[in-house]
Amino acid sequence: MSVPKSWRTLEIMQQCRFGFTEEYVSDICKNWSVIKDYAYIKHDRDLNEDGTTVESHIHLMLRFNCAVPTSAILKKLEGVCEVQHLQRMKSWNAAMAYLCHDNKPEKYQYDHCNVVSNFDWEKDAEKGVSGYKRLDLIISQIDTGICKRYNITDYVTVQEYTRWKTKIDNAFSYRDVKLLNEVNRIMDVVYIWGDSGTGKTTYAKKCAEDRKLSMFISSGGSDFLDGYNGQECIILDDFRGSTAPLNVILKLLDNNTCSSVPSRYRNKSISECKLIIITTILPMEKMFSDVFELNSEPLDQFKRRCGVVMHFTMDEIETSLYSIKTGEYEKISIMPNVVLDSIRQNFTVEDKKEYLKRVLGGSSDMFKGIAEAIERGDIPF
């Protein structure tokens, strides 16, 4: 690691047996005029991983009045410390908290009275501990599923993410592994097919909203889960079998077993998913025969994963349920296509005029001409 040419803040850590004693450090702090603030402590109760005691050493934290060259620091510490004993500080407050291990609960906790300083170091240490507690809270929220990749901006600021990115990403990876190890899950799969413009996607979104599930709409390309960040509902919109190999689709749609699906940058865990909705123009049998014809998997493997099949036309919605007993779908209802009726009712004349105004520009001659035609009744809505 490169050594800075000069320092504004500096941590020095050295074993006492090399002359870096409390008396030596005290003399340095009191007689070096460039020092603005100092705080130091002797650590003599730290433990190695094997349980043996770490050699006694001193942590000295310094804040200078001005930038001090590395050469001047090494000259001052000549014979006792070398360049490898000079350490950067990522955070002054965190460094103050580290003096007694306030922000490292897994380490030995030193008494605050052991710290020697020329300022109120405990005030800065408290800020360092609050930062640690904040990170601990974020990690706990990730572990419990409150904070997820898709809603991270609701719980983590950009400054916090930049500072703790590695730890936060590791926490998400840990939760993925944790969920993959769970034996069972409950996930529903709905297959919606019909001609374009019959309201399939609108209905799929409404299903997610009614169940209060976060929603991800697939890109439809070869990397169809690109951008998926743990949302509870996945809508495979305008799905075509060429999107992915059958074995990947069957793995994705497995209602009971947690799994991950290949994606460009990293495999996507879908363990958080509670609902998958497929929308397509193809009936299931044609989808399977036309696109998956080279696969040896039987159609039943696909059918038993899709508990509900809905057929949309301009006039009606036909709903069928999969029967485990017969291995076939049983028609349970045919009802008017209220989705299209709702769209028509919600999209008022004023909505249409505002849409044209936005697209064409409110001051354009084209919009003015259309608006006049609307007012005259020449253009029916």
Side-chain angles (χ1 to χ4, degrees), residues 277-333:
I277 303 177
I278 300 171
T279 72
T280 177
I281 60 173
L282 300 174
M284 188 181 293
E285 291 77 7
K286 186 167 180 58
M287 165 84 71
F288 205 85
S289 61
D290 288 2
V291 183
F292 296 143
E293 59 182 349
L294 298 179
N295 291 279
S296 58
E297 298 284 354
L299 174 60
D300 184 61
Q301 291 275 29
F302 192 80
K303 291 170 66 175
R304 67 182 180 83
R305 285 166 164 77
C306 302
V308 179
V309 170
M310 305 181 77
H311 179 206
F312 276 53
T313 67
M314 289 294 183
D315 301 314
E316 296 178 335
I317 300 174
E318 179 182 294
T319 304
S320 302
L321 289 181
Y322 179 75
S323 170
I324 299 177
K325 183 177 180 179
T326 64
E328 299 296 335
Y329 287 98
E330 299 176 356
K331 191 182 304 180
I332 59 169
S333 74

Side-chain angles (χ1 to χ4, degrees), residues 60 91 94 156 166 239 256 270 279 340 343 362:
L60 169 61
S91 163
V156 181
T166 300
F239 179 79
N256 303 309
I270 58 166
T279 72
L340 288 182
I343 295 173

Side-chain angles (χ1 to χ4, degrees), residues 5 39-40 55 78 92 99 138-139 163 167 172 181 197-198 206 220 224 242 247 250 283 298 303 328 335 339 350 371:
K5 293 182 179 179
Y40 64 89
E55 187 174 346
E78 189 175 6
W92 173 263
L99 286 167
I138 292 171
I139 290 175
R163 187 184 315 144
K167 290 182 173 63
F172 279 123
N181 287 332
T198 53
K206 188 70 166 54
F224 63 98
S242 55
N247 65 319
L250 292 177
K303 291 170 66 175
E328 299 296 335
M335 60 181 294
V339 179
E350 288 303 316

